[in-house]
Amino acid sequence: MTSVVITGSRYLVQPEQADRFGPFEKTFLAEGDSWMDASAAVQGSLPYYLVQEFNRRGKTHLVINISTSGQTLQRISQTMSGDYLWWLQQLRYDAVLFSAGGNDFIDAARDEAAGEGLLRDMQGQPLPADGYACVRQDALASLVDDYLNPNFDAMYRALRASAKNADTPMLLNGYDTPVARNAPAIPGLVGPWLWTAYLKNHIDPSLWPALTAGLFRDIQATVAGWPAGRTGVALVPTSGVLTPASPDATGSSGDWKNEIHPNAAGWRKLARIWADLLA
């Protein structure tokens, strides 16, 4: 017997690929973005390394993964009537492992025209004393209050309304703070993310460290606020765990494989923290 992670789509058509390793002591449902996405084999993901950690501890657990790289909380909420709700109705889980919010912040900084998203257009502007001054506070408030908080609430209410999982715990990914740098996941195709957003908005590189630190404080504070008033929801404390990358590195550095995703050493550190809580 061993622990296994399997995508929901594969488990539907070939459940024996996982079940032959059971019976399982616990079953978890993983939902969210690329930090959870089991398809990110080259990049790595939390469930993959979490299963390795379970096996090191002699545990026999099943992780059913319905995550999608690049997923935002808004899109997860909009498509709840698909995989998420369906899987909540199929099995009783010992916990839902949830990662969301990071992509929403990054997309809001990167995808809009200069000065029209989360960041101010600093072209021709005096250099502020603090890089965090480059954040548009009105856009930040709208992102958190109008989109992230209501959409997370919809995910939570769907969990509590499900007959099989009305009292199932939900653990939230607290992320960690990356370093803005030219380190894509796939050169020319995927990433970099913060680096691209900062260049688009003409932000001086001297401001990048403070700006990134401030943005990820906002991300972490947003996620940390979700357990308030909601039973069975807990933040996984991963902020400050990973060794930062070198700003000049274009590949794996410190505990980071690319600009915003951990490498194997980083995932192992995070997996130990998650496994402790799931025990």
Side-chain angles (χ1 to χ4, degrees), residues 150-165:
N151 287 336
F152 176 76
D153 189 59
M155 300 291 292
Y156 171 77
R157 286 187 286 106
L159 177 65
R160 291 292 167 257
S162 63
K164 292 181 182 292
N165 292 285

Side-chain angles (χ1 to χ4, degrees), residues 234-245:
L235 177 73
V236 181
T238 52
S239 177
V241 170
L242 303 180
T243 300

Side-chain angles (χ1 to χ4, degrees), residues 10-11 20 111-112 137 269:
R10 177 172 293 183
Y11 193 58
R20 63 193 176 93
D111 292 352
E112 303 297 331
Q137 292 300 314
K269 290 181 179 180

Side-chain angles (χ1 to χ4, degrees), residues 13-31:
V13 296
Q14 293 181 302
E16 69 279 359
Q17 289 191 357
D19 291 344
R20 63 193 176 93
F21 295 103
F24 299 106
E25 302 167 82
K26 294 182 179 180
T27 299
F28 304 111
L29 182 68
E31 169 67 298

Side-chain angles (χ1 to χ4, degrees), residues 258-270:
N258 52 55
E259 189 190 41
I260 63 170
H261 300 101
N263 56 24
W267 287 125
R268 291 187 185 104
K269 290 181 179 180
L270 299 175

